[in-house]
Amino acid sequence: MIKAPRGMKDIFDPRFLKIFDVTRKIAENYGFDYIETPILEETSLFKRSVGESSDIVNKEMYQFIDKGGNDVCLRPEGTAGVVRSFIEHKFDRQATPKRFWYFGPMFRYERPQKGRLREFHQFGVESFGVESIYEDINIIALAADIFDELKIDYTLKINSLGCPECMPKYKETLVEFLNFHKNELCEDCQRRIGQNPIRTLDCKNKNCQAILKNAPKITDNLCENCNKDFENLKEGLNNLGINFEIDKNLVRGLDYYTKTTFEFISNKIGAQSAIAGGGRYDRLVEFLGGKATAGVGFAIGIERIMDLVEIENERKGIYMGAIIADALPIIMKKAKNLRKETKVFVEPNIKSLKAHLKAADKGNFKKVLIMGENELRENTFFEKEL
Ligand code: HAM
């Protein structure tokens, strides 16, 4: 028997579409436009954006050479493709901000476990051209609104990674600290000292964590502007009644972030507890060859929240069936009209009244319309509410 590839799943769960509907509605209410980008992109796009020091690029890409000799990969995340599209369509040359939302599959060659798949889905938003910290607040509020609407409890963690003014100075201090402890750090962290030292801060290795507890923290080393923005971010979230915690080690697993980073965590889903993550990436557009443009966004992991969503199990729609064959053409016509208003299912097989009622009950329909000999003669239906 041929099975779906490891870490990839067929989706039958109606909650998937419910999440799609809710995320779409809220993104549109916030003024975001839909974008669909290719699932396959040039590998170099992710190397240059997500970064060579990240696990995603280093270990997890579905990368291959296509028949034309192009080095391509299945997208491991959505931001890079949206930025590529933003630049390719010259939106960076326009003065007006652009805001996009997307919903689709992402691929990471990870070791599958609960909440961690090789093909998973993300809903994400990306906002371009707005430097104001109020856009970060907007974006976080958008995510919070989605979780509230889906009745999902969360803990929001925030941090600031600083800007090109304060980050390099901080990095120097951190590298000094890391070099002093170099021999005690894991191999990954030792490599990261040269590549992207701040990524050591969220290393999962217990030994590294103990050492890095005492490392200098970026939020204690922010420049005046970043500090002011971080204060405004906290105040803005408080103003909207959005609770948060500050996590000074929240650097995120992708290299493109500057300033704000954030994650939404659920304590109800086990070890893979991040249900959404995002932040600012003010240098990414320029880095990928566009005109310098601020950016901020996040993505929600759909499979991670699916089990947390409750779905109403109320009876819905009309079940129509025939007890004699001559009734079917009339039923088909009637159903066509009724469908303009509601969900209508026509059972094409001729069955007894009892069998129809049983099927309608099993199908969770609200109402039954059945036509037998008498009904056909009188042009009526046997009607029953379930
Ligand atoms: P990320 O933190 O890598 O960020 O992924 C966002 C979310 O996708 C995670 O919080 C998690 O819920 C879900 N996720 C990630 N990997 C898996 C997996 N293997 N299986 C199931 N769910 C997973 C990004 O992807 C950024 N592009 C977010 C962003 C948008 N930043 C700015 N704009």
Short mmCIF file of all heavy atoms in Angstrom, two decimals, residues 77 79 102 108 110 115-117 120 122 126 252 254 256-257 274-279 281 297-299 301 304, ligand 1:
data_model
loop_
_atom_site.label_atom_id
_atom_site.label_comp_id
_atom_site.label_asym_id
_atom_site.label_seq_id
_atom_site.Cartn_x
_atom_site.Cartn_y
_atom_site.Cartn_z
N GLU A 77 8.95 28.38 4.59
CA GLU A 77 8.20 29.42 5.30
C GLU A 77 7.69 30.41 4.25
O GLU A 77 8.07 30.34 3.08
CB GLU A 77 9.08 30.09 6.34
CG GLU A 77 10.35 30.76 5.80
CD GLU A 77 10.23 32.25 5.66
OE1 GLU A 77 9.91 32.92 6.64
OE2 GLU A 77 10.44 32.76 4.54
N THR A 79 7.49 34.10 4.44
CA THR A 79 7.94 35.49 4.36
C THR A 79 8.85 35.76 3.15
O THR A 79 8.64 36.73 2.42
CB THR A 79 8.69 35.88 5.66
OG1 THR A 79 7.89 35.50 6.76
CG2 THR A 79 8.98 37.36 5.71
N TYR A 102 -1.60 35.34 3.68
CA TYR A 102 -1.50 34.11 2.88
C TYR A 102 -1.86 32.92 3.75
O TYR A 102 -1.86 33.00 4.99
CB TYR A 102 -0.09 33.94 2.29
CG TYR A 102 1.03 34.05 3.29
CD1 TYR A 102 1.51 32.95 3.99
CD2 TYR A 102 1.61 35.29 3.56
CE1 TYR A 102 2.53 33.06 4.92
CE2 TYR A 102 2.63 35.42 4.49
CZ TYR A 102 3.08 34.31 5.17
OH TYR A 102 4.07 34.43 6.11
N ARG A 108 9.34 21.43 5.82
CA ARG A 108 10.62 21.40 6.53
C ARG A 108 10.96 19.94 6.82
O ARG A 108 10.13 19.22 7.39
CB ARG A 108 10.55 22.18 7.85
CG ARG A 108 10.31 23.67 7.62
CD ARG A 108 10.30 24.47 8.92
NE ARG A 108 9.80 25.82 8.65
CZ ARG A 108 9.58 26.75 9.56
NH1 ARG A 108 9.83 26.48 10.83
NH2 ARG A 108 9.13 27.93 9.22
N GLU A 110 12.04 17.97 9.02
CA GLU A 110 12.34 17.83 10.44
C GLU A 110 12.00 16.42 10.87
O GLU A 110 11.37 15.66 10.14
CB GLU A 110 11.46 18.79 11.26
CG GLU A 110 11.69 20.24 10.92
CD GLU A 110 11.07 21.17 11.96
OE1 GLU A 110 11.63 21.27 13.05
OE2 GLU A 110 10.04 21.79 11.67
N GLY A 115 2.79 17.66 16.66
CA GLY A 115 2.88 19.10 16.42
C GLY A 115 4.02 19.50 15.50
O GLY A 115 4.21 20.68 15.23
N ARG A 116 4.80 18.51 15.06
CA ARG A 116 5.89 18.85 14.14
C ARG A 116 5.80 17.97 12.90
O ARG A 116 6.00 16.77 12.96
CB ARG A 116 7.24 18.66 14.83
CG ARG A 116 8.36 19.30 14.03
CD ARG A 116 9.58 19.53 14.88
NE ARG A 116 10.21 18.27 15.21
CZ ARG A 116 11.18 18.12 16.11
NH1 ARG A 116 11.61 19.18 16.77
NH2 ARG A 116 11.71 16.96 16.34
N LEU A 117 5.48 18.60 11.78
CA LEU A 117 5.26 17.87 10.54
C LEU A 117 6.30 18.29 9.50
O LEU A 117 7.00 19.29 9.69
CB LEU A 117 3.87 18.21 10.00
CG LEU A 117 2.70 17.70 10.84
CD1 LEU A 117 1.45 18.51 10.55
CD2 LEU A 117 2.46 16.24 10.54
N PHE A 120 3.35 21.24 6.64
CA PHE A 120 2.38 21.84 7.55
C PHE A 120 1.86 23.11 6.88
O PHE A 120 2.34 23.51 5.82
CB PHE A 120 3.02 22.15 8.91
CG PHE A 120 4.20 23.08 8.83
CD1 PHE A 120 4.06 24.43 9.11
CD2 PHE A 120 5.45 22.62 8.46
CE1 PHE A 120 5.15 25.30 9.02
CE2 PHE A 120 6.54 23.48 8.36
CZ PHE A 120 6.39 24.82 8.65
N GLN A 122 0.60 27.23 7.12
CA GLN A 122 0.68 28.49 7.86
C GLN A 122 -0.34 29.48 7.32
O GLN A 122 -0.57 29.56 6.11
CB GLN A 122 2.06 29.14 7.70
CG GLN A 122 3.17 28.49 8.51
CD GLN A 122 4.48 29.27 8.40
OE1 GLN A 122 4.64 30.12 7.53
NE2 GLN A 122 5.42 28.96 9.28
N GLU A 126 2.13 39.81 6.15
CA GLU A 126 3.36 40.59 6.00
C GLU A 126 2.95 42.02 5.66
O GLU A 126 2.16 42.25 4.74
CB GLU A 126 4.24 40.03 4.87
CG GLU A 126 4.48 38.52 4.89
CD GLU A 126 5.29 38.00 6.08
OE1 GLU A 126 5.86 38.81 6.84
OE2 GLU A 126 5.31 36.77 6.27
N ARG A 252 14.25 33.95 17.95
CA ARG A 252 13.59 33.28 16.84
C ARG A 252 14.60 32.56 15.94
O ARG A 252 15.76 32.91 15.91
CB ARG A 252 12.74 34.25 16.03
CG ARG A 252 11.81 35.06 16.91
CD ARG A 252 10.37 34.67 16.85
NE ARG A 252 9.87 34.56 15.52
CZ ARG A 252 9.41 33.42 14.99
NH1 ARG A 252 9.38 32.33 15.70
NH2 ARG A 252 8.95 33.39 13.76
N LEU A 254 14.99 32.33 12.76
CA LEU A 254 15.25 32.81 11.40
C LEU A 254 16.10 34.07 11.52
O LEU A 254 15.94 34.84 12.47
CB LEU A 254 13.93 33.11 10.67
CG LEU A 254 12.91 31.97 10.63
CD1 LEU A 254 11.92 32.06 11.78
CD2 LEU A 254 12.15 31.96 9.31
N TYR A 256 16.33 36.87 9.79
CA TYR A 256 16.01 38.19 9.21
C TYR A 256 15.44 39.22 10.18
O TYR A 256 15.14 40.34 9.78
CB TYR A 256 15.11 38.07 7.98
CG TYR A 256 13.89 37.17 8.07
CD1 TYR A 256 12.87 37.42 8.98
CD2 TYR A 256 13.75 36.09 7.20
CE1 TYR A 256 11.74 36.61 9.03
CE2 TYR A 256 12.62 35.27 7.24
CZ TYR A 256 11.62 35.54 8.15
OH TYR A 256 10.50 34.76 8.19
N TYR A 257 15.29 38.87 11.43
CA TYR A 257 14.60 39.80 12.34
C TYR A 257 15.45 40.95 12.85
O TYR A 257 16.65 40.81 13.09
CB TYR A 257 14.01 39.05 13.53
CG TYR A 257 12.90 38.10 13.13
CD1 TYR A 257 13.06 36.73 13.21
CD2 TYR A 257 11.69 38.59 12.63
CE1 TYR A 257 12.05 35.86 12.83
CE2 TYR A 257 10.68 37.73 12.26
CZ TYR A 257 10.86 36.37 12.35
OH TYR A 257 9.85 35.53 11.97
N ALA A 274 4.85 26.45 20.31
CA ALA A 274 4.70 27.74 19.61
C ALA A 274 3.57 27.63 18.60
O ALA A 274 3.62 26.81 17.69
CB ALA A 274 6.00 28.11 18.92
N ILE A 275 2.55 28.44 18.76
CA ILE A 275 1.44 28.38 17.80
C ILE A 275 1.54 29.50 16.76
O ILE A 275 0.90 29.46 15.73
CB ILE A 275 0.06 28.40 18.51
CG1 ILE A 275 -0.06 29.57 19.51
CG2 ILE A 275 -0.18 27.08 19.23
CD1 ILE A 275 -1.45 29.69 20.13
N ALA A 276 2.37 30.51 17.04
CA ALA A 276 2.61 31.56 16.05
C ALA A 276 3.90 32.28 16.40
O ALA A 276 4.31 32.32 17.56
CB ALA A 276 1.46 32.57 16.05
N GLY A 277 4.54 32.82 15.37
CA GLY A 277 5.77 33.57 15.62
C GLY A 277 5.95 34.63 14.57
O GLY A 277 5.46 34.50 13.45
N GLY A 278 6.63 35.70 14.95
CA GLY A 278 6.86 36.75 13.96
C GLY A 278 7.74 37.85 14.49
O GLY A 278 8.38 37.70 15.53
N GLY A 279 7.76 38.94 13.73
CA GLY A 279 8.57 40.07 14.14
C GLY A 279 8.85 41.01 12.99
O GLY A 279 8.29 40.86 11.89
N TYR A 281 11.31 42.91 10.20
CA TYR A 281 12.47 42.56 9.35
C TYR A 281 12.77 43.75 8.44
O TYR A 281 12.68 43.66 7.23
CB TYR A 281 12.21 41.26 8.57
CG TYR A 281 10.86 41.18 7.89
CD1 TYR A 281 10.65 41.73 6.63
CD2 TYR A 281 9.78 40.56 8.51
CE1 TYR A 281 9.42 41.66 6.01
CE2 TYR A 281 8.55 40.49 7.91
CZ TYR A 281 8.37 41.05 6.66
OH TYR A 281 7.15 40.99 6.05
N GLY A 297 5.69 41.03 10.30
CA GLY A 297 4.66 40.02 10.05
C GLY A 297 4.74 38.87 11.04
O GLY A 297 5.55 38.89 11.97
N PHE A 298 3.89 37.89 10.83
CA PHE A 298 3.92 36.67 11.66
C PHE A 298 3.26 35.55 10.90
O PHE A 298 2.60 35.78 9.86
CB PHE A 298 3.20 36.90 13.00
CG PHE A 298 1.70 36.94 12.87
CD1 PHE A 298 0.94 35.78 12.84
CD2 PHE A 298 1.04 38.16 12.75
CE1 PHE A 298 -0.44 35.82 12.70
CE2 PHE A 298 -0.35 38.20 12.61
CZ PHE A 298 -1.09 37.03 12.58
N ALA A 299 3.42 34.33 11.41
CA ALA A 299 2.69 33.19 10.86
C ALA A 299 2.19 32.30 11.98
O ALA A 299 2.85 32.14 13.00
CB ALA A 299 3.59 32.40 9.91
N GLY A 301 0.92 28.42 12.95
CA GLY A 301 0.99 27.02 12.51
C GLY A 301 -0.39 26.39 12.63
O GLY A 301 -0.87 26.17 13.73
N ARG A 304 -0.85 23.09 14.51
CA ARG A 304 -0.62 23.22 15.96
C ARG A 304 -1.88 23.69 16.69
O ARG A 304 -2.05 23.41 17.87
CB ARG A 304 0.49 24.24 16.23
CG ARG A 304 1.83 23.78 15.71
CD ARG A 304 2.88 23.69 16.76
NE ARG A 304 4.07 23.07 16.19
CZ ARG A 304 5.25 23.62 16.17
NH1 ARG A 304 5.43 24.82 16.70
NH2 ARG A 304 6.26 22.99 15.63
P1 HAM B 1 8.27 30.16 12.33
O1 HAM B 1 8.36 30.46 13.78
O2 HAM B 1 9.38 29.36 11.73
O3 HAM B 1 8.15 31.56 11.60
O4 HAM B 1 6.90 29.43 12.01
C1 HAM B 1 5.68 29.97 12.43
C2 HAM B 1 4.80 28.89 13.04
O5 HAM B 1 4.66 27.79 12.14
C3 HAM B 1 5.37 28.27 14.31
O6 HAM B 1 5.10 29.06 15.44
C4 HAM B 1 4.62 26.94 14.35
O7 HAM B 1 3.32 27.14 14.90
C5 HAM B 1 4.47 26.59 12.88
N1 HAM B 1 5.46 25.58 12.49
C6 HAM B 1 6.77 25.75 12.22
N2 HAM B 1 7.36 24.58 11.90
C7 HAM B 1 6.40 23.62 11.96
C8 HAM B 1 6.38 22.21 11.73
N3 HAM B 1 7.46 21.55 11.35
N4 HAM B 1 5.21 21.56 11.91
C9 HAM B 1 4.09 22.22 12.27
N5 HAM B 1 4.05 23.55 12.50
C10 HAM B 1 5.19 24.25 12.34
C11 HAM B 1 8.04 31.71 10.26
O8 HAM B 1 7.84 30.82 9.48
C12 HAM B 1 8.09 33.16 9.81
N6 HAM B 1 7.98 33.19 8.34
C13 HAM B 1 6.99 33.97 10.47
C14 HAM B 1 7.00 35.41 10.05
C15 HAM B 1 6.17 36.00 9.15
N7 HAM B 1 7.84 36.34 10.48
C16 HAM B 1 7.57 37.48 9.87
N8 HAM B 1 6.59 37.29 9.05
#
